[in-house]
Amino acid sequence: MTDSVLLNSPLILICYGIALFLCVFELFKRSSGYVIPIISACVSIATTAYALVAGISATEAIIVILIFLILHLTVFSGKRGGDDK
C-alpha cells in the first residue's frame, strides 16, 4: 500500500473519481447520448496516461483499465440505434 502511486496521489484519485461519476451517471440516466460516456472515457485514458508517467505499476494500471473498460462497455451496450419507447 505504501508503494502505490495510485492510492498516494490525490490528483489521480480525483480524476478517476470524476470519470467514474460520469460513467455511472450516464449508466443510470441514459440522457446525453454519447457525450458523457466519451468524456468519461477521455478522462480515464488521460488519467491513466498521467499515472503511467507518475510511476504506477503495471498491475495497478491493468486493474483500473479493466474496471473502466467494463463500465464503458456496459454504458455503450445500452445505447441502441432506435427509439425504445
Side-chain angles (χ1 to χ4, degrees), residues 13-35:
L13 288 176
I14 290 170
C15 290
Y16 277 135
I18 291 169
L20 181 67
F21 172 76
L22 290 173
C23 192
V24 171
F25 176 78
E26 183 61 29
L27 183 63
F28 288 118
K29 292 293 182 179
R30 297 192 189 276
S31 61
S32 70
Y34 292 104
V35 177

Side-chain angles (χ1 to χ4, degrees), residues 25-53:
F25 176 78
E26 183 61 29
L27 183 63
F28 288 118
K29 292 293 182 179
R30 297 192 189 276
S31 61
S32 70
Y34 292 104
V35 177
I36 291 179
I38 289 174
I39 292 172
S40 173
C42 290
V43 169
S44 63
I45 290 169
T47 306
T48 302
Y50 173 73
L52 288 170
V53 170

Side-chain angles (χ1 to χ4, degrees), residues 1-9 54-57 60:
M1 281 284 196
T2 60
D3 295 334
S4 174
V5 174
L6 180 67
L7 297 177
N8 290 329
S9 175
I56 194 172
S57 69
E60 289 176 321

